[in-house]
Amino acid sequence: MKLNHFLNLLGLVILLFSFLAASVLYHFVYLPGIESQIRSQQEKELLAVQRGIKFAQKSLETLCYDYAVWDEMVKFVYSKEPAFIASNLSVNSFEAADIDGAYLFDTQGKLLWQHFVNPDFSSQRLQKDNTTWIGQVLPDENIITKQLPSTRNGIINLDGTVVYFSNAVVLPTSAMGEIVGSLLMVREIDNGLVDQIRQLSLVNFNIEGLDPEKSYSGLTNFNSMPHIGSLASKHEWLINDVFGVPTLKISVVHDEKISPSILTPQSILLFITLIIASACSVIPVSVMILRPIRSASLVLDRMAERGVLYKMRTTWHIDEIVRLTSSFNLMVDKLERHQNYLESLSYKDPLTGIANRRSLEVFAQRAFTQWKEGKGVIGFLMIDIDLFKEYNDTLGHQAGDKAILSIAQTLLLECRRRGELVTRYGGEEFCVVIQGDNFAQMELLSKRMLEKVRELNIYHPKSCFDGRVTVSIGGVFYERFHPSFSDVSWEGMIAQADEQLYKAKLSGRNKLMLEYKRVEPLKLVE
């Protein structure tokens, strides 16, 4: 056999062996792993859509409950005064909240009042016999007898228009007393709502209405935990209404390919590189191909293990790998911006814009850890708006929200130094974390906040202090850590500050009560 023939035969054998090896690796190693990753990604996309839908529904549920559990709404059920509608149930309020229809019923399911954006949501489009709604949409006799707050949420079909609804019983603000009716709010499941959920979930999906008279076999309910049996570019589920009737079909379109093809530029480049490496050496392969792949794999593994986004190195010898890693880094930048935006929303109070309870937990834990390590001092202030319930009951919830917003901004202006964080603790309560100050500075800050809130001159018809809104403050301050403080937690410190707030309330409100925790130095006996 001539040498050139041998070389040609050897080259053919190497080519066939490389192709066979590449095919085996692709079908039995690479492809199963990729399909597992794609399946996991598709399930995550489905879960993101579910959470996005629940998040979009939550605002309607909260608004309906706030309007229903209200003393003024109870009075309106009996009086039906037009003045109440003009001041509290205006069209602008519902349009701002994207509410398409609102309906007030008595305990027997009789319609007392309605608001709708267009004729599709008028009372003529409601169920002709509201008694069929009792138990699923409207409260039944058992719920009314208990005299306790209750809600019903879900999807219903209003004569061809599919809406998400929330229904809450009408009873006093204290959430105790006689139930006089129920309030129903609806929002149409239209393209606008779908676009909002798409922006929240970052997933491409569509929602399509169904004919309730037809049967839809082979599709499962979307409310269950998402599970991908077989990979597909699109998956479909059914969404039933509260009566168990298939009402909507949701189609999730995935971005990932179903099965990556072996004939890609990367696989061809890898195949050629295997031939060159078999004939020459593995060094060029290691330097130019394996190192970038190994580096990318390490980055992806680290991302999967830690749940944190990392960028890839872009200084490689091959232009395609440079472009690939650069594109990957651009995608990481985009995902980080989305992630930071969503995290910023989760750390802010939606009404006041200041830090929320979650921010308090993170900041307080960090300050407490530093304090236990001997780095400075720590203090907590609990601030409560005096007679706020009376303020709400007298002037309404919208005035109460404005008062909370004004006070929150005032407190924020006073807590501008490093180591100070003002947060909304809940309702009309605020919590301030102070790190690195001394007791005198903390007392001075508290007095300033009392004074600045009074200077807002917010009118309060029930206040005993010149008809102005005031606050009461309770606080606790700990000197540098001492072993005698080992059993103290930051949650316990807040509880101590809350006790001081209670004392300030008992002493007449518009007061300041601070507790100074320190260890007295030992003295020598002469």
Side-chain angles (χ1 to χ4, degrees), residues 57-71 73 148-153 166-176 183-185 397:
Q57 295 170 350
K58 190 64 179 178
S59 60
L60 179 66
E61 298 171 9
T62 302
L63 183 66
C64 183
Y65 182 88
D66 289 343
Y67 268 94
V69 184
W70 185 18
D71 292 337
M73 183 62 72
L148 293 175
S150 72
T151 60
R152 283 141 301 281
N153 307 290
S166 181
N167 175 264
V169 295
V170 178
L171 74 168
T173 306
S174 62
M176 297 177 62
L183 180 64
L184 175 69
M185 291 186 179
H397 288 276

PDB file of all heavy atoms in Angstrom, residues 57-71 73 148-153 166-176 183-185 397:
ATOM      1  N   GLN A  57     -53.277  39.272  40.266  1.00  0.00           N
ATOM      2  CA  GLN A  57     -54.573  39.118  40.915  1.00  0.00           C
ATOM      3  C   GLN A  57     -54.584  39.714  42.319  1.00  0.00           C
ATOM      4  O   GLN A  57     -55.638  40.124  42.819  1.00  0.00           O
ATOM      5  CB  GLN A  57     -54.932  37.632  41.001  1.00  0.00           C
ATOM      6  CG  GLN A  57     -55.139  36.962  39.658  1.00  0.00           C
ATOM      7  CD  GLN A  57     -55.243  35.450  39.767  1.00  0.00           C
ATOM      8  OE1 GLN A  57     -54.979  34.874  40.820  1.00  0.00           O
ATOM      9  NE2 GLN A  57     -55.634  34.795  38.686  1.00  0.00           N
ATOM     10  N   LYS A  58     -53.417  39.774  42.947  1.00  0.00           N
ATOM     11  CA  LYS A  58     -53.351  40.183  44.353  1.00  0.00           C
ATOM     12  C   LYS A  58     -53.850  41.600  44.556  1.00  0.00           C
ATOM     13  O   LYS A  58     -54.502  41.901  45.562  1.00  0.00           O
ATOM     14  CB  LYS A  58     -51.902  40.063  44.847  1.00  0.00           C
ATOM     15  CG  LYS A  58     -51.754  40.230  46.356  1.00  0.00           C
ATOM     16  CD  LYS A  58     -52.468  39.114  47.086  1.00  0.00           C
ATOM     17  CE  LYS A  58     -52.310  39.244  48.590  1.00  0.00           C
ATOM     18  NZ  LYS A  58     -53.036  38.197  49.315  1.00  0.00           N
ATOM     19  N   SER A  59     -53.548  42.527  43.634  1.00  0.00           N
ATOM     20  CA  SER A  59     -53.972  43.917  43.798  1.00  0.00           C
ATOM     21  C   SER A  59     -55.492  44.042  43.815  1.00  0.00           C
ATOM     22  O   SER A  59     -56.045  44.824  44.596  1.00  0.00           O
ATOM     23  CB  SER A  59     -53.382  44.774  42.678  1.00  0.00           C
ATOM     24  OG  SER A  59     -53.817  44.307  41.412  1.00  0.00           O
ATOM     25  N   LEU A  60     -56.181  43.252  42.969  1.00  0.00           N
ATOM     26  CA  LEU A  60     -57.648  43.286  42.961  1.00  0.00           C
ATOM     27  C   LEU A  60     -58.195  42.752  44.271  1.00  0.00           C
ATOM     28  O   LEU A  60     -59.138  43.328  44.839  1.00  0.00           O
ATOM     29  CB  LEU A  60     -58.166  42.462  41.776  1.00  0.00           C
ATOM     30  CG  LEU A  60     -59.697  42.385  41.640  1.00  0.00           C
ATOM     31  CD1 LEU A  60     -60.251  43.757  41.311  1.00  0.00           C
ATOM     32  CD2 LEU A  60     -60.092  41.386  40.560  1.00  0.00           C
ATOM     33  N   GLU A  61     -57.629  41.684  44.805  1.00  0.00           N
ATOM     34  CA  GLU A  61     -58.105  41.104  46.054  1.00  0.00           C
ATOM     35  C   GLU A  61     -57.924  42.087  47.210  1.00  0.00           C
ATOM     36  O   GLU A  61     -58.817  42.252  48.048  1.00  0.00           O
ATOM     37  CB  GLU A  61     -57.343  39.812  46.337  1.00  0.00           C
ATOM     38  CG  GLU A  61     -57.541  38.750  45.288  1.00  0.00           C
ATOM     39  CD  GLU A  61     -56.599  37.568  45.483  1.00  0.00           C
ATOM     40  OE1 GLU A  61     -55.931  37.518  46.526  1.00  0.00           O
ATOM     41  OE2 GLU A  61     -56.541  36.715  44.584  1.00  0.00           O
ATOM     42  N   THR A  62     -56.749  42.748  47.253  1.00  0.00           N
ATOM     43  CA  THR A  62     -56.479  43.691  48.336  1.00  0.00           C
ATOM     44  C   THR A  62     -57.426  44.881  48.281  1.00  0.00           C
ATOM     45  O   THR A  62     -57.967  45.324  49.305  1.00  0.00           O
ATOM     46  CB  THR A  62     -55.021  44.166  48.257  1.00  0.00           C
ATOM     47  OG1 THR A  62     -54.152  43.027  48.322  1.00  0.00           O
ATOM     48  CG2 THR A  62     -54.697  45.115  49.404  1.00  0.00           C
ATOM     49  N   LEU A  63     -57.631  45.445  47.080  1.00  0.00           N
ATOM     50  CA  LEU A  63     -58.497  46.611  46.945  1.00  0.00           C
ATOM     51  C   LEU A  63     -59.937  46.272  47.330  1.00  0.00           C
ATOM     52  O   LEU A  63     -60.596  47.033  48.040  1.00  0.00           O
ATOM     53  CB  LEU A  63     -58.443  47.132  45.500  1.00  0.00           C
ATOM     54  CG  LEU A  63     -59.250  48.400  45.223  1.00  0.00           C
ATOM     55  CD1 LEU A  63     -58.656  49.569  45.983  1.00  0.00           C
ATOM     56  CD2 LEU A  63     -59.264  48.712  43.734  1.00  0.00           C
ATOM     57  N   CYS A  64     -60.432  45.124  46.886  1.00  0.00           N
ATOM     58  CA  CYS A  64     -61.804  44.722  47.215  1.00  0.00           C
ATOM     59  C   CYS A  64     -61.978  44.559  48.718  1.00  0.00           C
ATOM     60  O   CYS A  64     -62.966  45.006  49.293  1.00  0.00           O
ATOM     61  CB  CYS A  64     -62.143  43.423  46.471  1.00  0.00           C
ATOM     62  SG  CYS A  64     -63.838  42.863  46.736  1.00  0.00           S
ATOM     63  N   TYR A  65     -61.008  43.922  49.377  1.00  0.00           N
ATOM     64  CA  TYR A  65     -61.104  43.709  50.826  1.00  0.00           C
ATOM     65  C   TYR A  65     -61.079  45.038  51.569  1.00  0.00           C
ATOM     66  O   TYR A  65     -61.842  45.259  52.523  1.00  0.00           O
ATOM     67  CB  TYR A  65     -59.948  42.817  51.284  1.00  0.00           C
ATOM     68  CG  TYR A  65     -59.990  42.492  52.757  1.00  0.00           C
ATOM     69  CD1 TYR A  65     -60.701  41.389  53.220  1.00  0.00           C
ATOM     70  CD2 TYR A  65     -59.320  43.285  53.690  1.00  0.00           C
ATOM     71  CE1 TYR A  65     -60.749  41.095  54.568  1.00  0.00           C
ATOM     72  CE2 TYR A  65     -59.362  42.990  55.030  1.00  0.00           C
ATOM     73  CZ  TYR A  65     -60.066  41.893  55.469  1.00  0.00           C
ATOM     74  OH  TYR A  65     -60.107  41.608  56.801  1.00  0.00           O
ATOM     75  N   ASP A  66     -60.184  45.977  51.153  1.00  0.00           N
ATOM     76  CA  ASP A  66     -60.081  47.263  51.841  1.00  0.00           C
ATOM     77  C   ASP A  66     -61.383  48.056  51.746  1.00  0.00           C
ATOM     78  O   ASP A  66     -61.779  48.733  52.701  1.00  0.00           O
ATOM     79  CB  ASP A  66     -58.936  48.092  51.251  1.00  0.00           C
ATOM     80  CG  ASP A  66     -57.577  47.521  51.632  1.00  0.00           C
ATOM     81  OD1 ASP A  66     -57.540  46.712  52.580  1.00  0.00           O
ATOM     82  OD2 ASP A  66     -56.574  47.884  50.997  1.00  0.00           O
ATOM     83  N   TYR A  67     -62.048  48.003  50.582  1.00  0.00           N
ATOM     84  CA  TYR A  67     -63.313  48.721  50.433  1.00  0.00           C
ATOM     85  C   TYR A  67     -64.438  48.035  51.211  1.00  0.00           C
ATOM     86  O   TYR A  67     -65.319  48.711  51.748  1.00  0.00           O
ATOM     87  CB  TYR A  67     -63.696  48.809  48.951  1.00  0.00           C
ATOM     88  CG  TYR A  67     -63.200  50.060  48.268  1.00  0.00           C
ATOM     89  CD1 TYR A  67     -61.990  50.068  47.586  1.00  0.00           C
ATOM     90  CD2 TYR A  67     -63.935  51.236  48.285  1.00  0.00           C
ATOM     91  CE1 TYR A  67     -61.510  51.205  46.954  1.00  0.00           C
ATOM     92  CE2 TYR A  67     -63.470  52.384  47.656  1.00  0.00           C
ATOM     93  CZ  TYR A  67     -62.263  52.364  46.988  1.00  0.00           C
ATOM     94  OH  TYR A  67     -61.821  53.491  46.369  1.00  0.00           O
ATOM     95  N   ALA A  68     -64.431  46.713  51.261  1.00  0.00           N
ATOM     96  CA  ALA A  68     -65.550  45.990  51.871  1.00  0.00           C
ATOM     97  C   ALA A  68     -65.511  46.066  53.394  1.00  0.00           C
ATOM     98  O   ALA A  68     -66.546  46.299  54.043  1.00  0.00           O
ATOM     99  CB  ALA A  68     -65.538  44.527  51.413  1.00  0.00           C
ATOM    100  N   VAL A  69     -64.338  45.865  53.984  1.00  0.00           N
ATOM    101  CA  VAL A  69     -64.221  45.884  55.448  1.00  0.00           C
ATOM    102  C   VAL A  69     -63.979  47.327  55.874  1.00  0.00           C
ATOM    103  O   VAL A  69     -62.857  47.768  56.110  1.00  0.00           O
ATOM    104  CB  VAL A  69     -63.079  44.951  55.905  1.00  0.00           C
ATOM    105  CG1 VAL A  69     -63.019  44.901  57.424  1.00  0.00           C
ATOM    106  CG2 VAL A  69     -63.275  43.552  55.346  1.00  0.00           C
ATOM    107  N   TRP A  70     -65.063  48.081  55.968  1.00  0.00           N
ATOM    108  CA  TRP A  70     -64.983  49.534  56.178  1.00  0.00           C
ATOM    109  C   TRP A  70     -66.312  50.009  56.768  1.00  0.00           C
ATOM    110  O   TRP A  70     -67.381  49.689  56.244  1.00  0.00           O
ATOM    111  CB  TRP A  70     -64.666  50.186  54.835  1.00  0.00           C
ATOM    112  CG  TRP A  70     -64.430  51.670  54.896  1.00  0.00           C
ATOM    113  CD1 TRP A  70     -64.142  52.420  55.975  1.00  0.00           C
ATOM    114  CD2 TRP A  70     -64.471  52.581  53.780  1.00  0.00           C
ATOM    115  NE1 TRP A  70     -63.979  53.724  55.640  1.00  0.00           N
ATOM    116  CE2 TRP A  70     -64.175  53.866  54.288  1.00  0.00           C
ATOM    117  CE3 TRP A  70     -64.714  52.436  52.425  1.00  0.00           C
ATOM    118  CZ2 TRP A  70     -64.133  54.982  53.485  1.00  0.00           C
ATOM    119  CZ3 TRP A  70     -64.671  53.548  51.622  1.00  0.00           C
ATOM    120  CH2 TRP A  70     -64.382  54.811  52.137  1.00  0.00           C
ATOM    121  N   ASP A  71     -66.232  50.789  57.821  1.00  0.00           N
ATOM    122  CA  ASP A  71     -67.457  51.277  58.475  1.00  0.00           C
ATOM    123  C   ASP A  71     -68.321  52.087  57.515  1.00  0.00           C
ATOM    124  O   ASP A  71     -69.556  51.977  57.517  1.00  0.00           O
ATOM    125  CB  ASP A  71     -67.095  52.138  59.683  1.00  0.00           C
ATOM    126  CG  ASP A  71     -66.461  51.314  60.799  1.00  0.00           C
ATOM    127  OD1 ASP A  71     -66.694  50.079  60.830  1.00  0.00           O
ATOM    128  OD2 ASP A  71     -65.751  51.902  61.624  1.00  0.00           O
ATOM    129  N   MET A  73     -68.624  51.832  54.303  1.00  0.00           N
ATOM    130  CA  MET A  73     -69.313  50.979  53.338  1.00  0.00           C
ATOM    131  C   MET A  73     -70.530  50.325  53.983  1.00  0.00           C
ATOM    132  O   MET A  73     -71.574  50.133  53.341  1.00  0.00           O
ATOM    133  CB  MET A  73     -68.351  49.920  52.805  1.00  0.00           C
ATOM    134  CG  MET A  73     -68.960  49.014  51.728  1.00  0.00           C
ATOM    135  SD  MET A  73     -69.468  49.921  50.235  1.00  0.00           S
ATOM    136  CE  MET A  73     -67.864  50.315  49.537  1.00  0.00           C
ATOM    137  N   LEU A 148     -67.591  36.880  60.203  1.00  0.00           N
ATOM    138  CA  LEU A 148     -66.151  37.071  60.125  1.00  0.00           C
ATOM    139  C   LEU A 148     -65.768  37.409  58.684  1.00  0.00           C
ATOM    140  O   LEU A 148     -66.493  37.073  57.748  1.00  0.00           O
ATOM    141  CB  LEU A 148     -65.415  35.801  60.571  1.00  0.00           C
ATOM    142  CG  LEU A 148     -65.544  35.422  62.050  1.00  0.00           C
ATOM    143  CD1 LEU A 148     -64.872  34.079  62.298  1.00  0.00           C
ATOM    144  CD2 LEU A 148     -64.928  36.489  62.946  1.00  0.00           C
ATOM    145  N   PRO A 149     -64.616  38.078  58.495  1.00  0.00           N
ATOM    146  CA  PRO A 149     -64.196  38.415  57.131  1.00  0.00           C
ATOM    147  C   PRO A 149     -63.976  37.156  56.296  1.00  0.00           C
ATOM    148  O   PRO A 149     -63.480  36.143  56.790  1.00  0.00           O
ATOM    149  CB  PRO A 149     -62.868  39.174  57.347  1.00  0.00           C
ATOM    150  CG  PRO A 149     -62.891  39.613  58.755  1.00  0.00           C
ATOM    151  CD  PRO A 149     -63.695  38.603  59.516  1.00  0.00           C
ATOM    152  N   SER A 150     -64.374  37.216  55.037  1.00  0.00           N
ATOM    153  CA  SER A 150     -64.123  36.122  54.115  1.00  0.00           C
ATOM    154  C   SER A 150     -64.094  36.669  52.694  1.00  0.00           C
ATOM    155  O   SER A 150     -64.733  37.673  52.392  1.00  0.00           O
ATOM    156  CB  SER A 150     -65.195  35.023  54.230  1.00  0.00           C
ATOM    157  OG  SER A 150     -66.419  35.462  53.683  1.00  0.00           O
ATOM    158  N   THR A 151     -63.326  36.006  51.847  1.00  0.00           N
ATOM    159  CA  THR A 151     -63.205  36.418  50.447  1.00  0.00           C
ATOM    160  C   THR A 151     -63.344  35.212  49.539  1.00  0.00           C
ATOM    161  O   THR A 151     -63.104  34.078  49.952  1.00  0.00           O
ATOM    162  CB  THR A 151     -61.844  37.085  50.188  1.00  0.00           C
ATOM    163  OG1 THR A 151     -60.791  36.159  50.496  1.00  0.00           O
ATOM    164  CG2 THR A 151     -61.666  38.343  51.028  1.00  0.00           C
ATOM    165  N   ARG A 152     -63.723  35.480  48.289  1.00  0.00           N
ATOM    166  CA  ARG A 152     -63.801  34.475  47.244  1.00  0.00           C
ATOM    167  C   ARG A 152     -63.140  35.072  45.992  1.00  0.00           C
ATOM    168  O   ARG A 152     -63.426  36.219  45.641  1.00  0.00           O
ATOM    169  CB  ARG A 152     -65.264  34.103  46.925  1.00  0.00           C
ATOM    170  CG  ARG A 152     -65.899  33.170  47.954  1.00  0.00           C
ATOM    171  CD  ARG A 152     -67.337  33.531  48.212  1.00  0.00           C
ATOM    172  NE  ARG A 152     -67.497  34.875  48.681  1.00  0.00           N
ATOM    173  CZ  ARG A 152     -67.267  35.247  49.957  1.00  0.00           C
ATOM    174  NH1 ARG A 152     -66.861  34.380  50.845  1.00  0.00           N
ATOM    175  NH2 ARG A 152     -67.415  36.509  50.345  1.00  0.00           N
ATOM    176  N   ASN A 153     -62.276  34.310  45.383  1.00  0.00           N
ATOM    177  CA  ASN A 153     -61.524  34.794  44.239  1.00  0.00           C
ATOM    178  C   ASN A 153     -61.476  33.714  43.167  1.00  0.00           C
ATOM    179  O   ASN A 153     -61.532  32.520  43.472  1.00  0.00           O
ATOM    180  CB  ASN A 153     -60.094  35.164  44.644  1.00  0.00           C
ATOM    181  CG  ASN A 153     -60.050  36.118  45.822  1.00  0.00           C
ATOM    182  OD1 ASN A 153     -60.414  37.273  45.685  1.00  0.00           O
ATOM    183  ND2 ASN A 153     -59.621  35.631  46.979  1.00  0.00           N
ATOM    184  N   SER A 166     -62.975  39.228  42.569  1.00  0.00           N
ATOM    185  CA  SER A 166     -62.704  39.111  44.001  1.00  0.00           C
ATOM    186  C   SER A 166     -63.942  39.608  44.740  1.00  0.00           C
ATOM    187  O   SER A 166     -64.469  40.680  44.429  1.00  0.00           O
ATOM    188  CB  SER A 166     -61.480  39.930  44.408  1.00  0.00           C
ATOM    189  OG  SER A 166     -61.223  39.790  45.785  1.00  0.00           O
ATOM    190  N   ASN A 167     -64.420  38.808  45.677  1.00  0.00           N
ATOM    191  CA  ASN A 167     -65.616  39.148  46.450  1.00  0.00           C
ATOM    192  C   ASN A 167     -65.271  39.084  47.932  1.00  0.00           C
ATOM    193  O   ASN A 167     -64.654  38.130  48.395  1.00  0.00           O
ATOM    194  CB  ASN A 167     -66.753  38.183  46.128  1.00  0.00           C
ATOM    195  CG  ASN A 167     -67.989  38.425  47.005  1.00  0.00           C
ATOM    196  OD1 ASN A 167     -68.184  37.772  48.024  1.00  0.00           O
ATOM    197  ND2 ASN A 167     -68.807  39.383  46.613  1.00  0.00           N
ATOM    198  N   ALA A 168     -65.656  40.136  48.668  1.00  0.00           N
ATOM    199  CA  ALA A 168     -65.412  40.191  50.112  1.00  0.00           C
ATOM    200  C   ALA A 168     -66.687  40.636  50.808  1.00  0.00           C
ATOM    201  O   ALA A 168     -67.447  41.461  50.286  1.00  0.00           O
ATOM    202  CB  ALA A 168     -64.268  41.160  50.439  1.00  0.00           C
ATOM    203  N   VAL A 169     -66.925  40.079  51.984  1.00  0.00           N
ATOM    204  CA  VAL A 169     -68.119  40.443  52.747  1.00  0.00           C
ATOM    205  C   VAL A 169     -67.954  41.863  53.293  1.00  0.00           C
ATOM    206  O   VAL A 169     -66.844  42.314  53.594  1.00  0.00           O
ATOM    207  CB  VAL A 169     -68.371  39.460  53.898  1.00  0.00           C
ATOM    208  CG1 VAL A 169     -68.684  38.081  53.368  1.00  0.00           C
ATOM    209  CG2 VAL A 169     -67.184  39.398  54.851  1.00  0.00           C
ATOM    210  N   VAL A 170     -69.070  42.586  53.406  1.00  0.00           N
ATOM    211  CA  VAL A 170     -69.085  43.954  53.916  1.00  0.00           C
ATOM    212  C   VAL A 170     -69.387  43.903  55.407  1.00  0.00           C
ATOM    213  O   VAL A 170     -70.438  43.411  55.812  1.00  0.00           O
ATOM    214  CB  VAL A 170     -70.125  44.814  53.177  1.00  0.00           C
ATOM    215  CG1 VAL A 170     -70.155  46.214  53.767  1.00  0.00           C
ATOM    216  CG2 VAL A 170     -69.798  44.870  51.691  1.00  0.00           C
ATOM    217  N   LEU A 171     -68.446  44.386  56.200  1.00  0.00           N
ATOM    218  CA  LEU A 171     -68.646  44.448  57.640  1.00  0.00           C
ATOM    219  C   LEU A 171     -67.765  45.561  58.190  1.00  0.00           C
ATOM    220  O   LEU A 171     -66.950  46.127  57.460  1.00  0.00           O
ATOM    221  CB  LEU A 171     -68.339  43.111  58.304  1.00  0.00           C
ATOM    222  CG  LEU A 171     -66.888  42.649  58.476  1.00  0.00           C
ATOM    223  CD1 LEU A 171     -66.838  41.456  59.401  1.00  0.00           C
ATOM    224  CD2 LEU A 171     -66.251  42.297  57.160  1.00  0.00           C
ATOM    225  N   PRO A 172     -67.901  45.923  59.473  1.00  0.00           N
ATOM    226  CA  PRO A 172     -67.165  47.071  60.023  1.00  0.00           C
ATOM    227  C   PRO A 172     -65.655  46.924  59.903  1.00  0.00           C
ATOM    228  O   PRO A 172     -65.123  45.841  59.707  1.00  0.00           O
ATOM    229  CB  PRO A 172     -67.622  47.102  61.490  1.00  0.00           C
ATOM    230  CG  PRO A 172     -68.944  46.440  61.493  1.00  0.00           C
ATOM    231  CD  PRO A 172     -68.883  45.394  60.439  1.00  0.00           C
ATOM    232  N   THR A 173     -64.964  48.073  60.057  1.00  0.00           N
ATOM    233  CA  THR A 173     -63.511  48.120  59.928  1.00  0.00           C
ATOM    234  C   THR A 173     -62.814  47.218  60.931  1.00  0.00           C
ATOM    235  O   THR A 173     -61.742  46.690  60.659  1.00  0.00           O
ATOM    236  CB  THR A 173     -63.016  49.571  60.104  1.00  0.00           C
ATOM    237  OG1 THR A 173     -63.729  50.412  59.181  1.00  0.00           O
ATOM    238  CG2 THR A 173     -61.525  49.681  59.831  1.00  0.00           C
ATOM    239  N   SER A 174     -63.421  47.026  62.075  1.00  0.00           N
ATOM    240  CA  SER A 174     -62.826  46.164  63.098  1.00  0.00           C
ATOM    241  C   SER A 174     -62.818  44.699  62.694  1.00  0.00           C
ATOM    242  O   SER A 174     -62.281  43.858  63.407  1.00  0.00           O
ATOM    243  CB  SER A 174     -63.589  46.325  64.411  1.00  0.00           C
ATOM    244  OG  SER A 174     -64.939  45.911  64.253  1.00  0.00           O
ATOM    245  N   ALA A 175     -63.427  44.375  61.547  1.00  0.00           N
ATOM    246  CA  ALA A 175     -63.523  42.993  61.055  1.00  0.00           C
ATOM    247  C   ALA A 175     -64.379  42.127  61.970  1.00  0.00           C
ATOM    248  O   ALA A 175     -64.276  40.911  61.962  1.00  0.00           O
ATOM    249  CB  ALA A 175     -62.146  42.381  60.864  1.00  0.00           C
ATOM    250  N   MET A 176     -65.225  42.751  62.736  1.00  0.00           N
ATOM    251  CA  MET A 176     -66.140  42.034  63.615  1.00  0.00           C
ATOM    252  C   MET A 176     -67.489  42.745  63.568  1.00  0.00           C
ATOM    253  O   MET A 176     -67.551  43.967  63.509  1.00  0.00           O
ATOM    254  CB  MET A 176     -65.609  41.996  65.056  1.00  0.00           C
ATOM    255  CG  MET A 176     -64.284  41.255  65.216  1.00  0.00           C
ATOM    256  SD  MET A 176     -63.655  41.325  66.911  1.00  0.00           S
ATOM    257  CE  MET A 176     -65.000  40.476  67.755  1.00  0.00           C
ATOM    258  N   LEU A 183     -69.110  42.841  48.473  1.00  0.00           N
ATOM    259  CA  LEU A 183     -68.631  43.682  47.386  1.00  0.00           C
ATOM    260  C   LEU A 183     -67.888  42.807  46.377  1.00  0.00           C
ATOM    261  O   LEU A 183     -67.014  42.018  46.748  1.00  0.00           O
ATOM    262  CB  LEU A 183     -67.696  44.771  47.927  1.00  0.00           C
ATOM    263  CG  LEU A 183     -67.112  45.737  46.881  1.00  0.00           C
ATOM    264  CD1 LEU A 183     -68.222  46.548  46.229  1.00  0.00           C
ATOM    265  CD2 LEU A 183     -66.089  46.663  47.533  1.00  0.00           C
ATOM    266  N   LEU A 184     -68.255  42.932  45.107  1.00  0.00           N
ATOM    267  CA  LEU A 184     -67.654  42.150  44.028  1.00  0.00           C
ATOM    268  C   LEU A 184     -66.948  43.094  43.062  1.00  0.00           C
ATOM    269  O   LEU A 184     -67.537  44.068  42.606  1.00  0.00           O
ATOM    270  CB  LEU A 184     -68.738  41.348  43.279  1.00  0.00           C
ATOM    271  CG  LEU A 184     -68.281  40.560  42.045  1.00  0.00           C
ATOM    272  CD1 LEU A 184     -67.396  39.392  42.458  1.00  0.00           C
ATOM    273  CD2 LEU A 184     -69.483  40.074  41.247  1.00  0.00           C
ATOM    274  N   MET A 185     -65.662  42.835  42.794  1.00  0.00           N
ATOM    275  CA  MET A 185     -64.898  43.597  41.808  1.00  0.00           C
ATOM    276  C   MET A 185     -64.382  42.645  40.745  1.00  0.00           C
ATOM    277  O   MET A 185     -63.968  41.526  41.062  1.00  0.00           O
ATOM    278  CB  MET A 185     -63.726  44.334  42.464  1.00  0.00           C
ATOM    279  CG  MET A 185     -64.135  45.470  43.382  1.00  0.00           C
ATOM    280  SD  MET A 185     -62.684  46.410  43.971  1.00  0.00           S
ATOM    281  CE  MET A 185     -63.504  47.649  44.979  1.00  0.00           C
ATOM    282  N   HIS A 397     -59.996  56.380  54.053  1.00  0.00           N
ATOM    283  CA  HIS A 397     -58.720  55.684  53.838  1.00  0.00           C
ATOM    284  C   HIS A 397     -57.776  56.485  52.938  1.00  0.00           C
ATOM    285  O   HIS A 397     -56.559  56.415  53.111  1.00  0.00           O
ATOM    286  CB  HIS A 397     -58.984  54.310  53.213  1.00  0.00           C
ATOM    287  CG  HIS A 397     -59.578  53.331  54.171  1.00  0.00           C
ATOM    288  ND1 HIS A 397     -58.820  52.596  55.040  1.00  0.00           N
ATOM    289  CD2 HIS A 397     -60.880  52.995  54.435  1.00  0.00           C
ATOM    290  CE1 HIS A 397     -59.600  51.823  55.773  1.00  0.00           C
ATOM    291  NE2 HIS A 397     -60.854  52.038  55.414  1.00  0.00           N
TER     292      HIS A 397
END
